[in-house]
Amino acid sequence: MTSLLPDSLAETLLADARRDGIGKYVVGALIADEGGRVLLLRRRADDFLGGCGRRTRQFTFAVTVRATGPITLTEHDDAAWADPGDLPAVSDETRALLTG
């Protein structure tokens, strides 16, 4: 596994998940630019975050980037930079995360 986290933090996160009986891990990111805009990605219509019957834990990290493009999509079919105060249609969970 390649990680930019300190080894101790990554080991602690994974150990806690294993202790809790988690069998699958996914990673998310809140990506913002230096102006405060956030990157919104849309999953392809045929994609979903299924756990395949296993308990899943999502690790979400916040990062700020200097450069905002170009963006190469692999698991998503659309991307847009948005101001958190002027979001397009997003889920209630996403809106709560982005607006604090």
Side-chain angles (χ1 to χ4, degrees), residues 1-2 8 25 27 32 34 37 39 43 47-48 51 74 78 85 87 99:
M1 172 176 62
T2 301
S8 60
Y25 315 104
V27 176
E34 292 178 328
R37 296 181 309 161
L39 180 61
R43 288 197 168 275
D47 193 9
F48 65 96
T74 57
D78 196 16
L87 294 172
T99 60

Side-chain angles (χ1 to χ4, degrees), residues 23-89:
K24 182 178 179 179
Y25 315 104
V26 295
V27 176
L30 171 57
I31 302 171
D33 68 10
E34 292 178 328
R37 296 181 309 161
V38 294
L39 180 61
L40 301 176
L41 300 174
R42 183 180 65 196
R43 288 197 168 275
R44 294 186 317 262
D46 63 346
D47 193 9
F48 65 96
L49 288 173
C52 301
R54 295 183 288 172
R55 294 182 64 195
T56 303
R57 175 147 311 157
Q58 178 169 334
F59 300 107
T60 303
F61 302 94
V63 297
T64 301
V65 298
R66 289 188 186 120
T68 58
I71 297 170
T72 302
L73 301 175
T74 57
E75 295 182 22
H76 301 83
D77 65 4
D78 196 16
W81 289 96
D83 185 303
D86 188 27
L87 294 172

